[in-house]
Amino acid sequence: MKRVLIITYYWPPSAGSGVQRWLKFAKYLPEYGWEPVIFTPEHPDFELKDPSLLHEIPLGLEVLKFPIWEPYQIFRFFKGEKFKDTSIILEGKNKSMLDRLAIWLRANFLIPDPRMFWIRPSVKFLTQHCDANDFKAVITTGPPHSMHLIGRNLKREKLLPWVADFRDPWSTWEFLDTLPLSARARALHVKLEKTIFNEADELVTISPTFKKEMEVLAKREVNLITNGFDPSDLPEGFHFIPQSSDRFEVVYSGVIDAIRDPIPFLNALKRAFGKTTDKIRCTFVGKVSNKVKGFVSQNSWLKAHVHFAGYVSHREVFGYYEKSHLLLLILTHTKNAKGNIPGKLFEYMATGRPILALGDPDGDSAEIIFKAKAGKVYLHESEDSMQDYLKDLYNSSFQKGQQKNMQQYTRKALTRQLAEILDKIQ
């Protein structure tokens, strides 16, 4: 069994698709001859947590936790707040002087990200740790892209084969456009990114569009390994056919923020059913922006038919899927939107429910949905078409979807692709 060191910022109890991506790789890598060892921060600074994921960590998996210092602590001290989600600060219209200063410092001095202070001590620790362990390869996954700089410096020290996994782009990442970057700061992002492209033995990303864009920047081949789903996540006895109900249930799972806008869908939903039936409910499972909550609260029909369930564990999400007749997918509407493939898309497809997606009909997610005949994809401005589709679904007695051939997207099949990459660099 060959040992591989995986460096990741996000790990249970953190929540999100990035966590599940590497949690599942760690689960299945031993079946292909690789023993993973996880290196992750001790007490990292993230808000969304899912303690249930702790139970999914494979028995016997070695997890190295190393202390991290993050500058958010200073920000909270001056603000006098226990926690302030940075996305809320960026979205806020009435930013205080301190808020604006913190954003400017984040943009122009914390490069590539606020986890930069973890790079040097981690490299020092891991350099010593590698001497006592026979690692055959190193994997880094970002964002945060500071993880790649740890891998780069570790390779320089120990000459270990290294795979860099990009779940989002770096220098072309849409998030950077929300920050007041100086020309110097943007140039530094490009310079650091180039060292990763030049020095990593293999590059990996999650969508065909990101792959093409990275190959242009890196001037080399990039491997594609999408996210996926694990059949074992579906509860025993999961009903692939919605249970009988006198109410049409629409479910969205995930984050609603500044770059994911469900308001066009809510308008279509109200126009389709606002004057004809009350047998409708739309449930948002997860974190939802104040903007969307405010929009719903201002309309009496939406207020009565839209439910915000809040954040629930990954296990509990499947209970909402099981009751649903339609699953809503909100894709980003930014410059990276074409390559946006949310991890939950594959879980949606595995349930057999039809999918209504808002996003680019020519994007990577749309291509997957169309090929699988799993649903419809609409532009945000296509409210009339969404309205017609909703009526058709409702009038067909809550039409159910069909189970698709999902073998290529199972976590085990995707892990085999990763293992083949690791075998190649030996």
Side-chain angles (χ1 to χ4, degrees):
M1 190 76 74
K2 295 163 286 190
R3 288 165 65 82
V4 56
L5 178 66
I6 300 172
I7 301 172
T8 176
Y9 178 83
Y10 295 107
W11 188 253
S14 175
S17 61
V19 177
Q20 293 182 41
R21 178 174 175 85
W22 285 95
L23 182 61
K24 298 301 183 180
F25 281 144
K27 174 181 177 180
Y28 289 111
L29 271 172
E31 297 190 27
Y32 299 102
W34 287 91
E35 178 188 352
V37 176
I38 306 298
F39 180 73
T40 194
E42 185 176 33
H43 306 304
D45 205 332
F46 48 70
E47 181 185 20
L48 291 181
K49 297 182 180 181
D50 183 354
S52 74
L53 293 178
L54 291 167
H55 302 292
E56 296 189 28
I57 298 175
L59 291 175
L61 176 66
E62 184 177 355
V63 179
L64 303 173
K65 293 191 174 183
F66 190 69
I68 187 172
W69 180 83
E70 300 177 70
Y72 297 124
Q73 299 164 16
I74 297 176
F75 180 73
R76 291 195 195 95
F77 175 79
F78 285 105
K79 288 281 287 185
E81 298 175 355
K82 289 185 178 180
F83 190 91
K84 186 69 172 179
D85 188 345
T86 52
S87 65
I88 294 177
I89 296 173
L90 286 170
E91 293 171 16
K93 294 182 179 179
N94 300 316
K95 298 181 180 68
S96 68
M97 182 68 74
L98 183 58
D99 289 338
R100 292 195 295 271
L101 176 61
I103 292 171
W104 188 85
L105 290 172
R106 158 66 182 93
N108 296 289
F109 284 91
L110 302 181
I111 300 174
D113 48 65
R115 284 81 186 197
M116 60 181 289
F117 301 103
W118 201 50
I119 297 171
R120 183 174 294 180
S122 293
V123 171
K124 181 179 179 181
F125 171 81
L126 290 172
T127 299
Q128 298 171 348
H129 194 76
C130 285
D131 292 334
N133 291 268
D134 187 23
F135 292 121
K136 300 299 184 185
V138 176
I139 299 173
T140 56
T141 180
H145 295 306
S146 286
M147 303 303 105
H148 296 315
L149 297 180
I150 295 174
R152 181 200 67 180
N153 293 355
L154 191 60
K155 180 181 179 180
R156 289 175 178 178
E157 291 284 339
K158 306 305 295 183
L159 301 179
L160 287 170
W162 166 39
V163 177
D165 172 57
F166 286 80
R167 304 188 317 278
D168 280 304
W170 184 338
S171 65
T172 58
W173 190 17
E174 58 203 9
F175 172 70
L176 294 184
D177 296 337
T178 68
L179 300 174
L181 264 69
S182 65
R184 171 195 162 276
R186 191 169 287 277
L188 184 53
H189 278 287
V190 172
K191 180 180 178 181
L192 292 173
E193 177 187 57
K194 188 174 181 180
T195 67
I196 308 304
F197 289 163
N198 290 342
E199 298 182 45
D201 293 274
E202 293 289 340
L203 300 172
V204 175
T205 193
I206 66 167
S207 76
T209 295
F210 291 170
K211 169 182 163 68
K212 292 176 184 176
E213 292 175 352
M214 282 180 62
E215 287 179 337
V216 171
L217 293 172
K219 297 180 176 59
R220 57 180 290 191
E221 183 181 0
V222 176
N223 299 280
L224 171 63
I225 304 181
T226 67
N227 286 316
F229 82 104
D230 192 341
S232 67
D233 286 342
L234 290 170
E236 186 175 351
F238 182 86
H239 293 95
F240 289 95
I241 300 175
Q243 299 303 287
S244 59
S245 171
D246 62 353
R247 183 166 57 190
F248 185 74
E249 299 272 1
V250 181
V251 170
Y252 173 86
S253 170
V255 174
I256 294 293
D257 54 17
I259 60 174
R260 296 171 181 85
D261 183 13
I263 290 177
F265 170 80
L266 294 174
N267 285 332
L269 187 73
K270 181 180 64 175
R271 288 167 54 186
F273 304 115
K275 296 180 180 180
T276 59
T277 181
D278 283 330
K279 298 178 180 180
I280 302 290
R281 180 165 68 177
C282 179
T283 301
F284 288 87
V285 183
K287 177 184 165 188
V288 177
S289 69
N290 291 332
K291 175 186 174 181
V292 172
K293 287 183 177 179
F295 177 82
V296 169
S297 69
Q298 292 170 12
N299 182 275
S300 59
W301 191 88
L302 288 176
K303 190 174 181 180
H305 295 87
V306 176
H307 173 57
F308 298 108
Y311 189 81
V312 304
S313 72
H314 186 229
R315 292 181 180 181
E316 292 176 285
V317 167
F318 287 94
Y320 287 92
Y321 291 162
E322 197 165 25
K323 297 175 183 177
S324 70
H325 302 90
L326 173 68
L327 294 175
L328 176 63
L329 185 69
I330 309 295
L331 301 169
T332 60
H333 54 290
T334 57
K335 72 176 185 180
N336 295 145
K338 190 173 182 180
N340 177 221
I341 307 179
K344 62 176 168 282
L345 169 59
F346 304 102
E347 282 188 352
Y348 275 18
M349 292 169 62
T351 68
R353 271 55 173 181
I355 298 169
L356 188 158
L358 264 66
D360 185 350
D362 296 320
D364 295 336
S365 289
E367 184 175 357
I368 291 172
I369 291 171
F370 293 151
K371 284 185 176 179
K373 298 181 180 179
K376 301 286 186 179
V377 182
Y378 297 102
L379 292 169
H380 284 70
E381 57 266 30
S382 302
E383 292 183 12
D384 290 344
S385 298
M386 281 187 272
Q387 178 182 344
D388 292 341
Y389 180 60
L390 287 167
K391 287 181 177 179
D392 288 344
L393 273 181
Y394 184 86
N395 293 331
S396 61
S397 301
F398 306 159
Q399 175 184 327
K400 71 179 183 66
Q402 299 176 349
Q403 287 181 262
K404 311 297 186 296
N405 180 8
M406 297 283 292
Q407 181 58 36
Q408 63 180 315
Y409 297 120
T410 63
R411 295 290 188 179
K412 186 173 181 179
L414 296 166
T415 304
R416 180 173 60 190
Q417 296 179 37
L418 176 63
E420 288 172 353
I421 293 171
L422 291 171
D423 291 336
K424 184 169 68 172
I425 63 177
Q426 285 298 290

